[in-house]
Amino acid sequence: MAVQKPSIPKGTRDFSQREMARRNYIFDTIRSVFRLYGFAPIETPAMENLSTLMGKYGEEGDKLLFKILNSGNYLLGVDSEILHDDNINRLTTKISEKGLRYDLTVPFARFVVQHRNELQFPFKRYQMQPVWRADRPQKGRYREFYQCDADVIGSDSLVSEVELLQLIDEVFARFGINIAIKLNNRKVLAGIAEIIGEPERLVDITVAIDKIDKIGIDAVNEELSSKGLAQEAIAALRPILEISGTVDERLEALRKLLASSETGTRGVDELNEVIAMTRDLGLRAQLDLDVSLARGLNYYTGCIIEVKALDVTIGSITGGGRYDNLTGVFGMPGVSGVGISFGADRIYDVLNALDLYPEEATMTTRVMFANFGALEALASLRLMKRLRAQGISTELYPDAVKMKKQLSFASAAGIPFVAMIGDSELADGTVTLKDMIAGEQHTLSHDALIEKLKA
Amino acid sequence: MAVQKPSIPKGTRDFSQREMARRNYIFDTIRSVFRLYGFAPIETPAMENLSTLMGKYGEEGDKLLFKILNSGNYLLGVDSEILHDDNINRLTTKISEKGLRYDLTVPFARFVVQHRNELQFPFKRYQMQPVWRADRPQKGRYREFYQCDADVIGSDSLVSEVELLQLIDEVFARFGINIAIKLNNRKVLAGIAEIIGEPERLVDITVAIDKIDKIGIDAVNEELSSKGLAQEAIAALRPILEISGTVDERLEALRKLLASSETGTRGVDELNEVIAMTRDLGLRAQLDLDVSLARGLNYYTGCIIEVKALDVTIGSITGGGRYDNLTGVFGMPGVSGVGISFGADRIYDVLNALDLYPEEATMTTRVMFANFGALEALASLRLMKRLRAQGISTELYPDAVKMKKQLSFASAAGIPFVAMIGDSELADGTVTLKDMIAGEQHTLSHDALIEKLKA
C-alpha cells in the first residue's frame, strides 16, 4: 500500500490530552449544573433521516447539511433524466436518505414527538453532543462542534425562564467568567412592529435591529428603508431603540410606548415578572434589557436570552428563548418550551484567553514509576497496585531505558512525581520519590509513599 | 409544511434518561480505570478523509463505510462516462471525499502519525467515541455504537500487556461481572503453521481454528481441507488443538510441540512471561490459554486477548492484542503497540441481564418542589437555591396544577422526595417533605430539610 500523508477534513479537529482535559472540564461543569437543576440527559443518533432535517433551517441550512450517500448501488433505479437534471437536488434526494445532525433542537423535537407516550411532561432534558455543518471554516467556526442544550418542554410557566437564568448564572460563576445576560421578548418585538404601523414586517424589522450593536442605528434605518419600510415607521422606531436609563426605567418607558399593543404589553409583563423573580433570588451576573435582541431565530415566541462575556471580545457564548411550536411539524402542535444552548467552543476560547482553568483540568498521571529492569518493574507494579486501590493514578515506564530519557518523558508529560525502585530500594523495601517540580527526592517506605500521594 | 411521522434511521438508537444513566455509569467506570492506569484521552473527528479509511478494513469493510456526499454541485466536472460506468466505485470516489469513522484504531494510527512531533512516546491513549458501520442491523448489532479503546504505542515491553490485563480485571471487578480472560499469541499461531508444514497458510489456519468453539474440531478440519490444506498438516494440527490440562501444563505441552519453531517458542515465552507477572500481581479474573484464539484480525503480531462473561451467554465483551505496524501505512513504520477495546453495548446487555447497576446509575432529581402558585413558588425557589448550593439536585414543578398530577409526575419520574411549601408552610417558614417511597411526610424547618437531603 502506498504511504499516505495523514490529514483530517478541513474544519474538523483532533483533540490532544491537554485539550481534552480542558474540554472535559467545560462539559463536566455544565453537566453538573444541568443535573443540579433536574435536567435529564438524552442522546440522539448522529444520523437523522433527511426528511427530519430538510426544511427546518431555511434554504441556506439545507445546503449546509452533511448528507450521507446511500449504501450499495445507490444509482440503481435512478432515472437518467434525473441524473442529467440541472437541479442537483432531485438526484440528491434519490441517492441520499440520511444526514448528520445540524443542531440539537430539531432532533430533540423529533425525539419528543416520537417518544411522547413514554415521557413525563413537563419534560426537562439536556443534551451534549456534536453537530455538523458544511459551513466555510474560519477562525472559531468549525464543521464539527459540540452543543450543550437544556430545554423544558410542555409548560408555559415563566418559572422555567427564571430557573434557566439561575442555571446560566451558576455555570459561569463556576467557570469564573463575568457575564452580562441580555433579555428581550418576542412579544415586545411584535408590539413594536404593531405600534409603528408595520405588524406584517416583524421579521424584516427584527433582522435589521438585531444588528444595531454591530452597525449602528443609522445603518439599521437604511436597511429598513431599503426593505421598503415606510419613513414614518422608521421615524417611530427610533425613540424605542433609543430608550435609555436603568433596566427599570427602560421597562417603564417601554410599557408606556407599547400601551396600545396588547401583545407588546404582555411581553413587557413577562419581562417584568422574569426580572423581578430573578432579582429576588439574587443573580451574580448583570441582567440587562435589550430590545434589539432577536437572535435571528424566528421560532422564538416569548423570552429571548443572550449571554456575553464581559472581559473578552467575542460573540454570544450562550443563548436561548421560548418557542411555542417546535414539535408542530412532527405532528404535536401547541407545545410550549424554553431552552438554552451553551457554546462550548467559545467558552473554551474565553477560558483560554483569561487563563481560568483550575489545576484539576490538567489531568495527568500523578506518579510515574521508572523502569530499572524486570525484577524492579515487578516490584513497582506490586506497589502501583496498592496506589491504584487508593485512587492514585500511576503508570510504569514500559522500557528499562536510560533514566535521563525516562525522566524527560515524565517532565514533558507534566507528571508531577517519579517513583524509583532500583537495586537498593528493592533490597530494603523502600521507594525513592522525586518531586519533578521542586526537583528534590526522598527515600520512603511504601506506606509513606501512599500517604504522601494521597494528600 | 406537511406533518411528518418521526422516525430515526434503522440500526440507530435514541437514549432515554434511564438508558443514559446506565450508559454513563459504564463509560464513567471505564474512564476512571483508564485514568488510574495513566492513559490520556484524545478525540478525533467523526469524519475522516476516505483516503484514510479505504482499504484498511478489507473489501467488505470498504462497503460498510458511511460515505458523505460532497457539498455543493458534487457532479460538476464528473465525466458522463463515469456516471454510466457499471462500477459505481469510480463515481463514489468523485462525489464523496469523506466517510464516518468505522473504528477507533485507524483514526488513532492516523492521529499518532499526524501529531508524532507533539507526542511523547511511549504514548498511552484512551478514546471513547461512537463509530458507524453500514452493517445489516440485527439484535445487538447497531449502525452507530461506542467503542472504548486504550492503547500503548511506541514500546514492545510486555509490561504493557500486563497492565492492560490488570486494567481489564479492575473494570469488570467494578462492574461486578465475573469474567474469563483468554490469551493467545500470534507467534504461537505462526509457530503452529510452521511446524505442521504450512507456514504460508497462517491466515487460513487461524481463520478456521478461531471457529473451533462454535463449530467443533471436525468442522474446522473440513474447512481446512476445503481450503486445500494437506491432510498431513491437518492431522498434525489435531494434537495441538487437543492439548489439555492446567494452563501451566498446556503451556509446557505447547513448548515441546513448538520446540523446533523459533517464532513459536518466542510466542510461548511471551505468554509465559505475561501470565507469570499477572499471576504475581493477583488477578480476580480467570486467566486462560486458548491456542484457537485469533480474533480474525490479521494485524495482531503478538499477544491476543479476549474477555468472556461467565454468567451470561454472549460474544466477547472486550478484546485486543499487540500489533507491530499499525502506523506503517501512514508513513511511520516499525512502531509496536498493544491495545484493548471494551464493547460498551455488550457490557450494557450483561449488566442488564444480571441486574448489576448500582443505585447511583439511576440519576434522577433528588427532590421536586410542588407548585402552589406564584408566591409559594418563589419561596420554593429561594429554598432550592440553598439546596443546590449544597449539591442537592432539585426542580420546581413549573405549573400550579392539581397536587395529584404533580405527585404522579414525581412518582413516574422516580423522584424520591417531594417538598411542599403551601399556605401554612409559607406562614411559619417550614416545608413539608414527602418520602415518595415510604409514603410518609413530615413538616420540617428549612435547615432540617437540607440536613436530611444531604445525608
Side-chain angles (χ1 to χ4, degrees):
Chain A
M1 230 174 300
V3 166
Q4 300 169 354
K5 190 167 177 289
S7 67
I8 51 177
K10 64 177 177 182
T12 69
R13 292 166 289 174
D14 282 330
F15 295 109
S16 68
Q17 168 175 22
R18 184 166 173 276
E19 291 157 330
M20 283 296 295
R22 294 179 163 208
R23 288 170 64 83
N24 283 339
Y25 164 69
I26 294 171
F27 294 136
D28 290 346
T29 301
I30 296 173
R31 189 182 296 117
S32 312
V33 181
F34 281 163
R35 288 193 187 161
L36 204 52
Y37 278 77
F39 288 85
I42 69 158
E43 279 186 9
T44 61
M47 298 184 278
E48 292 275 352
N49 291 319
L50 278 177
S51 56
T52 299
L53 301 176
M54 294 287 283
K56 307 301 188 301
Y57 307 105
E59 209 174 311
E60 197 50 37
D62 283 353
K63 285 188 198 149
L64 299 184
L65 291 171
F66 280 109
K67 298 172 187 83
I68 292 161
L69 202 53
N70 293 345
S71 300
N73 188 346
Y74 48 85
L75 278 187
L76 208 73
V78 174
D79 275 5
S80 176
E81 182 228 331
I82 290 178
L83 215 48
H84 294 98
D85 196 331
D86 280 343
N87 180 358
I88 195 133
N89 295 339
R90 284 183 67 202
L91 177 62
T92 305
T93 60
K94 294 285 178 191
I95 67 173
S96 169
E97 284 167 2
K98 293 182 286 289
L100 292 182
R101 181 166 65 217
Y102 179 90
D103 71 1
L104 302 178
T105 307
V106 169
F108 172 55
R110 192 266 312 144
F111 178 96
V112 166
V113 179
Q114 190 172 329
H115 303 282
R116 61 203 290 179
N117 295 324
E118 305 138 45
L119 297 176
Q120 301 298 316
F121 293 97
F123 178 51
K124 295 172 77 170
R125 86 87 170 77
Y126 75 83
Q127 193 169 356
M128 304 173 67
Q129 291 190 276
V131 302
W132 295 270
R133 296 181 184 180
D135 241 326
R136 196 180 303 274
Q138 59 182 54
K139 188 173 157 24
R141 194 204 276 162
Y142 304 101
R143 292 187 146 190
E144 172 178 66
F145 59 98
Y146 265 76
Q147 290 193 331
C148 307
D149 286 18
D151 288 80
V152 186
I153 196 161
S155 160
D156 58 7
S157 166
L158 294 176
V159 158
S160 302
E161 274 85 341
V162 173
E163 286 208 271
L164 287 173
L165 291 172
Q166 288 187 287
L167 188 158
I168 289 170
D169 194 49
E170 175 72 27
V171 164
F172 287 106
R174 289 189 183 197
F175 285 138
I177 297 175
N178 296 314
I179 54 162
I181 304 180
K182 292 185 182 183
L183 284 186
N184 197 12
N185 193 300
R186 170 68 170 249
K187 297 187 183 89
V188 166
L189 292 167
I192 291 172
E194 203 182 311
I195 65 127
I196 68 171
E198 298 274 12
E200 306 299 318
R201 308 298 297 276
L202 174 57
V203 172
D204 284 339
I205 296 169
T206 56
V207 167
I209 68 179
D210 199 20
K211 301 179 192 159
I212 201 164
D213 278 354
K214 278 190 198 145
I215 61 176
I217 195 162
D218 292 328
V220 165
N221 286 345
E222 269 171 47
E223 178 171 329
L224 288 171
S225 184
S226 78
K227 292 247 159 121
L229 212 72
Q231 285 309 312
E232 303 77 46
I234 293 173
L237 183 61
R238 186 177 273 266
I240 301 174
L241 296 179
E242 287 180 341
I243 290 175
S244 66
T246 65
V247 170
D248 292 319
E249 286 164 359
R250 281 180 284 153
L251 261 181
E252 214 29 57
L254 202 56
R255 180 183 298 286
K256 280 179 192 146
L257 281 161
L258 298 180
S260 65
S261 160
E262 199 184 312
T263 306
T265 302
R266 198 135 36 90
V268 175
D269 285 344
E270 288 184 9
L271 278 170
N272 216 31
E273 194 173 334
V274 168
I275 290 170
M277 272 203 278
T278 311
R279 266 192 197 150
D280 180 284
L281 293 166
L283 223 53
R284 296 176 192 86
Q286 284 184 20
L287 197 59
D288 198 9
L289 177 69
D290 181 356
V291 294
S292 73
L293 181 66
R295 288 191 58 77
L297 289 169
N298 282 311
Y299 60 73
Y300 289 138
T301 53
C303 189
I304 302 172
I305 303 167
E306 188 168 271
V307 178
K308 294 257 186 191
L310 291 180
D311 307 318
V312 178
T313 306
I314 198 166
S316 82
I317 52 178
T318 290
R322 179 169 288 279
Y323 43 83
D324 274 337
N325 199 18
L326 204 61
T327 53
V329 68
F330 297 115
M332 196 173 158
V335 181
S336 187
V338 57
I340 53 169
S341 185
F342 287 92
D345 286 291
R346 285 199 178 155
I347 292 172
Y348 179 82
D349 289 343
V350 172
L351 290 172
N352 279 337
L354 302 174
D355 197 15
L356 285 174
Y357 290 100
E359 212 183 313
E360 312 90 82
T362 54
M363 212 174 57
T364 57
T365 298
R366 188 136 172 82
V367 56
M368 183 191 93
F369 276 70
N371 193 328
F372 292 88
L375 266 184
E376 293 88 345
L378 189 56
S380 298
L381 286 169
R382 284 190 204 122
L383 178 52
M384 289 164 69
K385 188 175 174 180
R386 293 184 57 200
L387 263 61
R388 287 169 177 152
Q390 298 292 329
I392 302 161
S393 69
T394 179
E395 60 185 290
L396 173 65
Y397 193 90
D399 303 288
V401 296
K402 280 194 188 132
M403 198 46 41
K404 186 158 178 271
K405 189 171 178 193
Q406 297 190 43
L407 288 175
S408 69
F409 171 90
S411 170
I415 298 172
F417 294 101
V418 172
M420 291 172 277
I421 298 184
D423 263 2
S424 63
E425 288 88 354
L426 199 57
D428 59 12
T430 58
V431 54
T432 297
L433 185 69
K434 185 176 175 75
D435 182 326
M436 296 296 286
I437 294 144
E440 55 193 21
Q441 64 181 56
H442 299 284
T443 300
L444 306 166
S445 72
H446 292 185
D447 288 346
L449 177 86
I450 292 171
E451 278 316 303
K452 181 165 172 58
L453 293 175
K454 263 167 71 178
Chain B
M1 228 174 300
V3 165
Q4 299 168 355
K5 190 167 178 290
S7 66
I8 50 177
K10 65 177 176 181
T12 69
R13 292 165 290 174
D14 282 330
F15 295 108
S16 69
Q17 169 175 22
R18 185 167 172 274
E19 291 158 330
M20 284 294 296
R22 294 178 164 209
R23 288 169 63 83
N24 283 339
Y25 163 68
I26 293 171
F27 294 137
D28 291 346
T29 302
I30 295 173
R31 190 182 294 115
S32 314
V33 181
F34 281 164
R35 289 193 187 160
L36 204 53
Y37 279 76
F39 288 85
I42 68 158
E43 280 187 7
T44 61
M47 297 185 279
E48 293 275 352
N49 292 319
L50 278 178
S51 56
T52 299
L53 301 176
M54 294 287 281
K56 307 301 188 300
Y57 307 105
E59 210 176 309
E60 197 49 36
D62 283 353
K63 286 188 195 149
L64 299 183
L65 291 170
F66 280 110
K67 298 173 187 82
I68 292 161
L69 203 52
N70 293 344
S71 300
N73 188 347
Y74 48 85
L75 278 187
L76 209 72
V78 174
D79 275 5
S80 176
E81 182 228 333
I82 289 176
L83 214 50
H84 295 96
D85 195 328
D86 279 343
N87 180 359
I88 194 128
N89 295 340
R90 283 184 67 201
L91 177 61
T92 305
T93 60
K94 294 285 178 192
I95 67 175
S96 170
E97 283 167 1
K98 293 182 285 291
L100 293 180
R101 181 165 62 214
Y102 179 89
D103 70 1
L104 301 179
T105 306
V106 169
F108 171 55
R110 193 266 310 142
F111 178 97
V112 166
V113 179
Q114 194 173 326
H115 302 283
R116 60 202 291 177
N117 295 326
E118 305 138 44
L119 298 176
Q120 299 299 316
F121 293 96
F123 179 51
K124 294 173 76 170
R125 86 87 170 77
Y126 75 84
Q127 192 170 356
M128 303 173 68
Q129 292 191 276
V131 301
W132 294 271
R133 297 181 185 180
D135 240 325
R136 195 180 303 275
Q138 59 182 53
K139 188 173 159 19
R141 193 205 279 162
Y142 304 101
R143 290 185 150 192
E144 173 179 64
F145 59 97
Y146 265 77
Q147 290 193 333
C148 307
D149 286 17
D151 289 79
V152 185
I153 197 162
S155 160
D156 58 8
S157 164
L158 294 176
V159 158
S160 301
E161 274 85 340
V162 173
E163 284 209 272
L164 288 172
L165 291 172
Q166 286 187 291
L167 188 158
I168 289 171
D169 193 49
E170 177 71 28
V171 164
F172 288 105
R174 290 190 183 197
F175 285 138
I177 297 176
N178 297 314
I179 54 162
I181 305 179
K182 291 184 184 184
L183 284 186
N184 197 11
N185 193 300
R186 171 68 168 247
K187 296 189 183 88
V188 165
L189 291 168
I192 291 173
E194 202 182 312
I195 66 128
I196 68 170
E198 298 273 10
E200 306 299 318
R201 307 301 296 278
L202 174 59
V203 172
D204 284 339
I205 295 168
T206 57
V207 166
I209 68 178
D210 200 18
K211 299 178 192 159
I212 201 164
D213 278 353
K214 279 190 196 142
I215 61 176
I217 194 163
D218 292 328
V220 165
N221 286 345
E222 268 171 50
E223 179 171 328
L224 288 171
S225 184
S226 77
K227 294 245 160 122
L229 212 72
Q231 285 308 314
E232 303 75 48
I234 295 173
L237 183 61
R238 184 176 276 264
I240 300 173
L241 297 178
E242 286 179 345
I243 288 175
S244 66
T246 65
V247 169
D248 292 319
E249 287 164 358
R250 280 180 285 153
L251 263 180
E252 213 29 57
L254 203 56
R255 180 182 298 285
K256 279 179 195 150
L257 281 161
L258 297 180
S260 65
S261 159
E262 199 183 315
T263 307
T265 301
R266 198 138 32 92
V268 174
D269 285 344
E270 288 184 11
L271 278 170
N272 214 34
E273 194 173 334
V274 168
I275 290 170
M277 272 203 276
T278 313
R279 266 192 198 149
D280 179 283
L281 293 165
L283 223 54
R284 297 177 191 86
Q286 284 183 21
L287 196 61
D288 199 8
L289 175 70
D290 182 355
V291 291
S292 73
L293 180 67
R295 291 190 59 75
L297 291 170
N298 282 312
Y299 60 75
Y300 289 137
T301 51
C303 190
I304 304 172
I305 302 167
E306 188 167 89
V307 178
K308 295 259 186 188
L310 291 179
D311 307 318
V312 178
T313 306
I314 199 166
S316 84
I317 53 179
T318 290
R322 179 170 287 278
Y323 42 82
D324 274 337
N325 199 17
L326 205 61
T327 54
V329 68
F330 298 115
M332 195 174 159
V335 181
S336 188
V338 56
I340 54 168
S341 184
F342 287 92
D345 286 291
R346 286 200 177 154
I347 292 171
Y348 179 82
D349 290 342
V350 172
L351 290 171
N352 279 337
L354 301 175
D355 196 18
L356 285 175
Y357 290 100
E359 214 183 312
E360 313 90 81
T362 55
M363 211 172 58
T364 59
T365 299
R366 187 141 172 83
V367 56
M368 183 191 93
F369 276 71
N371 193 326
F372 291 89
L375 267 185
E376 293 88 346
L378 190 56
S380 297
L381 285 169
R382 284 190 204 122
L383 179 52
M384 288 163 69
K385 188 175 175 180
R386 292 185 56 202
L387 264 59
R388 286 169 177 152
Q390 298 292 328
I392 301 162
S393 69
T394 179
E395 59 184 291
L396 175 64
Y397 193 90
D399 303 289
V401 296
K402 282 196 187 125
M403 199 43 45
K404 187 159 175 269
K405 190 173 176 190
Q406 298 190 43
L407 288 175
S408 69
F409 171 90
S411 170
I415 297 172
F417 294 101
V418 172
M420 292 171 277
I421 298 184
D423 265 0
S424 62
E425 288 88 353
L426 199 54
D428 59 12
T430 57
V431 54
T432 297
L433 186 70
K434 187 177 174 72
D435 182 325
M436 297 295 285
I437 293 144
E440 54 192 23
Q441 63 182 57
H442 300 284
T443 300
L444 305 166
S445 71
H446 291 184
D447 287 346
L449 177 86
I450 292 171
E451 278 315 304
K452 181 167 170 57
L453 293 175
K454 262 167 70 178

